[in-house]
Amino acid sequence: MKKLMKGNEAIAEAAVRGGCRAFFGYPITPQNEIPEYLSRRMPEVGGVFIQAESEVSAINMVYGAAGAGARAMTSSSSPGISLKQEGISYISGAELPCVIVNIVRAGPGLGGILPAQSDYFQSVKGGGHGDYHMLVFAPESVQEAVDLIYNAFDKADQYRSPVMILGDGMLGQIMEAVEIPPMKDPTTFPKKEWATDGTGVGEGRRIVNSLYIEPDVLEKVNQKLAATYAEMAANETAYEAYKTDDAEVVLTAYGTVARICKSAVNMLRAKGVKAGLLRPITLYPFPSDAIAKVAAEPQVKRFLTVELSMGQMVEDVRLAVNGAKPVDFYGRTGGCVMSPEDVMNVILEKEGK
Amino acid sequence: MATVFKKSKMLTDTKFHYCPGCTHGIAHRLVAEALEELGCEGKTIGIAPVGCSVFAYNYFNCDMQQVAHGRAPAAATGAKRVHPDKVVFAYQGDGDLASIGTAEIVHAAARGENITVIFINNAIYGMTGGQMAPTTLLGQKTTTSQYGRTVPLNGNPIKVCEMLSTLDGPSYIARCSLADPASVLKAKKAIIKGFKNQLEGKGFTLIELLSTCPTNMGLTPLAALDYVKNDMSKIFPLGVFKDIDAIK
Ligand SMILES: Cc1ncc(C[n+]2csc(CCOP(=O)(O)OP(=O)(O)O)c2C)c(N)n1
Ligand code: SF4
């Protein structure tokens, strides 16, 4: 049965259903409903909830809990995610599974509390130090956010890597009808032999660590991580192609902006412009091959990347298109959101209509 | 022949990398002996800091995590909350605990987090080559206080035990010294008390150990011990700063 739920609360409940039993966070708008909901919910399922003293501490609590074998999660919004970057780098280096939710707000600095997509670079290029990446999912709706976070803990365990859910203030605050999946049974989760659960002694003791002082050993660690990322690219790359089959103008957008673009596609089609949308669902790995394939279609004239930023994902789109077709950019920032008409007008102007 | 000394089971066979005369080794031995005597084999998670003891994960014979600089109390919190039946300890230097990690240690203590923190105060940054620590004494020369630490420039040394004992969370806070055999025996008793409180669920415990860094103090091992005895313990007086059992 579908239930009307606020994005943040639906994300929190789906995390619990997906097996999350440890949450560490610090208040910041517009994601506060996630910790608030979980402070009530975690005790009901025998889980751990702590409001940490800072985002730095919260992510390191995640490190400790995930290192000890728990399905652990933190959530925050842009300034807080910046503070977590050190911890995310360590978590990646130590190959710990966990889930990080970023309900993005406008920056830089304290910025504003309204929706933005200006943390794309930070999320997909490795916002902390070192050669690392993580799976980054960009849901466009509350239902998709629910479905993605529900399985995010499995993916994190599978790859022994952090997984990020990249939403924005719109997704966090909107209320939509959602189907919440059933509670996963924690006894069915794979055993983590590597986890420091305290029982290890002698040969059997476990070490969670990201320090490799020997250069050739550290290089091997980096190569191993790269192999994991290649595996992610092969198995996890996800996107939606919306009316791209005959499209002459292809929009690329992710998250809530993709929904705005879908409306724009339909309005354009009503005006006789064959528009389509390619929506990355995973921002890392990026669906470059799918974009390149569309770019190679003879009828495709141009791309327009639409973002709530000054142009971040557009760089990856351009890399994927690789000069085959022109790639234009249209963005709003600061918490300002474009309307479908705005997007339509940009295209109409480019088309000389 | 009678055995008069045996390495604790809670230490691995890996050789310590510490400099000659460094008291990190003594501190490791005391922690290991305390854990062994309390029957903590197979039920302990240790958290190693960033500092000279970064390799502590190679030495303690238990599950270990190596964490970011200063964040050991947060990681220990995460591990302890998901394994409340296990003994969790963090081992931290003065730069780690009293400088970059002040927020983490204060709040772990304030929450009364049921963990044990071993705090190595050697009044200097050992690993990075002898820079000024938050616990460096006034007048003490380090590579970043080359004319000696002064109040106008650097403020006064931070007294961690005194500060944390004002909080309601901790169950036991003590400062001991590793400068002579009698002090070492006392330090071991304090460490045992700390772990015992944790096993009894009494909440946060911290044992500060006044320690040497002969290499960066520019002193012989013996002179470094004298420095701890004669200079450091004047500014950092030894004693028990909080003991909820004593209040009762
Ligand atoms: C974020 C970060 N900043 C700085 C460092 C460099 N660093 C490594 S150890 C250390 C200080 C260690 O001193 P202390 O905690 O007193 O331990 P000791 O080496 O004396 O045992 C510093 C500043 C680091 N590793 N990470
Ligand atoms: S540098 Fe100092 S603290 Fe580090 S091992 Fe050597 S003596 Fe010990």
Side-chain angles (χ1 to χ4, degrees):
Chain A
M1 207 186 62
K2 283 202 172 182
K3 218 176 135 187
L4 193 64
M5 280 184 98
K6 202 178 214 187
N8 282 334
E9 296 196 342
I11 286 171
E13 179 60 30
V16 170
R17 303 276 178 113
C20 179
R21 289 297 179 275
F23 178 90
F24 310 95
Y26 186 84
I28 184 168
T29 307
Q31 61 82 54
N32 287 324
E33 294 82 0
I34 297 177
E36 285 165 0
Y37 185 93
L38 289 172
S39 78
R40 181 168 77 243
R41 190 71 173 106
M42 278 303 183
E44 291 175 0
V45 294
V48 172
F49 172 89
I50 298 184
Q51 178 170 323
E53 57 272 25
S54 70
E55 289 87 351
V56 175
S57 293
I59 192 71
N60 282 284
M61 288 175 186
V62 168
Y63 184 105
R71 288 197 161 186
M73 162 177 160
T74 186
S75 69
S76 189
S77 180
S78 311
I81 296 290
S82 292
L83 276 183
K84 290 185 199 290
Q85 293 305 328
E86 177 200 46
I88 297 173
S89 169
Y90 275 71
I91 284 170
S92 298
E95 295 180 85
L96 298 180
C98 70
V99 173
I100 301 148
V101 178
N102 183 1
I103 302 296
V104 182
R105 58 187 253 182
L110 198 48
I113 59 169
L114 292 175
Q117 296 183 318
S118 39
D119 294 357
Y120 176 89
F121 285 150
Q122 191 194 49
S123 311
V124 306
K125 308 288 181 191
H129 59 284
D131 263 325
Y132 77 89
H133 292 282
M134 61 191 149
L135 271 173
V136 181
F137 290 109
E140 65 160 5
S141 65
V142 177
Q143 184 67 60
E144 195 173 47
V146 162
D147 297 341
L148 289 171
I149 200 165
Y150 183 62
N151 291 322
F153 295 90
D154 301 326
K155 302 277 180 212
D157 281 353
Q158 181 184 340
Y159 295 105
R160 282 191 60 180
S161 169
V163 173
M164 178 172 275
I165 306 288
L166 192 70
D168 61 48
M170 255 183 295
L171 187 78
Q173 298 301 321
I174 200 171
M175 285 189 87
E176 291 191 304
V178 283
E179 189 82 55
I180 301 282
M183 188 72 85
K184 285 187 187 173
D185 175 5
T187 62
T188 64
F189 298 156
K191 259 202 89 54
K192 300 176 181 178
E193 301 297 345
W194 51 264
T196 61
D197 64 7
T199 58
V201 278
E203 299 279 285
R205 72 194 190 92
R206 279 70 52 101
I207 297 172
V208 164
N209 176 38
S210 69
L211 173 68
Y212 300 95
I213 209 82
E214 302 289 343
D216 48 336
V217 177
L218 181 52
E219 185 169 57
K220 286 214 172 69
V221 170
N222 275 296
Q223 285 163 350
K224 184 179 167 213
L225 290 178
T228 301
Y229 304 142
E231 212 184 307
M232 284 178 186
N235 302 334
E236 306 299 339
T237 308
Y239 60 92
E240 181 193 7
Y242 182 75
K243 303 190 179 175
T244 52
D245 282 351
D246 62 342
E248 295 172 3
V249 175
V250 179
L251 301 174
T252 54
Y254 69 93
T256 50
V257 175
R259 286 168 81 175
I260 294 167
C261 287
K262 279 182 186 171
S263 301
V265 164
N266 291 327
M267 289 160 67
L268 282 161
R269 285 194 171 251
K271 288 200 183 300
V273 178
K274 285 188 179 161
L277 167 76
L278 204 138
R279 173 175 77 91
I281 297 171
T282 52
L283 299 180
Y284 189 92
F286 193 68
S288 305
D289 292 349
I291 291 175
K293 227 173 123 204
V294 172
E297 297 286 343
Q299 85 281 0
V300 171
K301 286 193 287 193
R302 65 175 73 254
F303 283 80
L304 178 74
T305 298
V306 185
E307 297 177 63
L308 294 180
S309 80
M310 290 307 290
Q312 300 194 12
M313 182 179 79
V314 66
E315 292 192 2
D316 286 333
V317 175
R318 287 193 175 122
L319 281 172
V321 171
N322 200 17
K325 303 285 160 67
V327 179
D328 293 310
F329 174 74
Y330 173 57
R332 295 293 307 272
T333 63
C336 302
V337 179
M338 66 286 286
S339 67
E341 288 80 5
D342 293 336
V343 178
M344 176 183 70
N345 290 335
V346 173
I347 293 288
L348 290 178
E349 197 185 315
K350 301 265 178 222
E351 291 289 291
K353 289 190 178 158
Chain B
M1 213 163 67
T3 306
V4 290
F5 179 81
K6 214 167 128 232
K7 183 172 70 67
S8 167
K9 281 196 296 185
M10 290 302 290
L11 287 175
T12 65
D13 290 334
T14 309
K15 269 196 189 157
F16 292 156
H17 69 281
Y18 300 111
C19 305
C22 175
T23 49
H24 266 305
I26 299 175
H28 280 27
R29 174 172 68 79
L30 298 184
V31 171
E33 288 175 355
L35 287 168
E36 180 178 344
E37 284 168 32
L38 292 168
C40 299
E41 197 185 5
K43 47 184 276 190
T44 303
I45 305 169
I47 312 289
V50 175
C52 276
S53 47
V54 67
F55 290 121
Y57 59 80
N58 285 329
Y59 307 139
F60 289 107
N61 187 13
C62 59
D63 283 340
M64 292 291 297
Q65 295 190 9
Q66 196 290 310
V67 304
H69 195 23
R71 319 298 176 213
T77 296
K80 181 72 182 185
R81 291 290 180 118
V82 300
H83 292 295
D85 56 327
K86 298 298 189 302
V87 172
V88 177
F89 74 93
Y91 185 106
Q92 299 183 262
D94 44 61
D96 198 76
L97 183 144
S99 190
I100 198 167
T102 43
E104 284 76 7
I105 194 66
V106 167
H107 285 270
R111 284 191 303 270
E113 211 59 64
N114 195 26
I115 59 171
T116 300
V117 178
I118 307 297
F119 170 36
I120 306 298
N121 178 1
N122 58 12
I124 210 154
Y125 281 19
M127 189 193 211
T128 40
Q131 295 85 359
M132 188 183 67
T135 48
T136 290
L137 305 188
L138 290 179
Q140 188 180 336
K141 288 181 177 152
T142 70
T143 56
T144 52
S145 60
Q146 301 218 359
Y147 302 107
R149 177 174 183 158
T150 65
V151 175
L153 203 56
N154 315 113
N156 284 285
I158 292 180
K159 297 172 182 173
V160 169
C161 289
E162 286 84 340
M163 191 171 76
L164 294 184
S165 61
T166 64
L167 297 168
D168 295 324
S171 71
Y172 180 72
I173 292 186
R175 183 184 289 125
C176 306
S177 156
L178 301 179
D180 58 68
S183 303
V184 169
L185 289 177
K186 270 195 197 156
K188 180 165 166 188
K189 282 208 183 105
I191 294 169
I192 288 178
K193 168 78 179 154
F195 282 126
K196 232 171 142 192
N197 275 22
Q198 183 179 163
L199 286 164
E200 290 165 4
K202 287 181 174 158
F204 186 87
T205 53
L206 179 142
I207 298 93
E208 174 173 341
L209 301 172
L210 298 188
S211 303
T212 64
C213 174
T215 302
N216 288 303
M217 288 170 165
L219 299 170
T220 64
L222 285 178
L225 292 173
D226 285 341
Y227 187 73
V228 170
K229 244 186 289 189
N230 302 331
D231 299 87
M232 279 180 71
S233 53
K234 279 209 189 81
I235 306 302
F236 301 111
L238 308 184
V240 175
F241 291 82
K242 178 138 192 217
D243 183 353
I244 53 166
D245 298 324
I247 296 163
K248 264 184 226 158

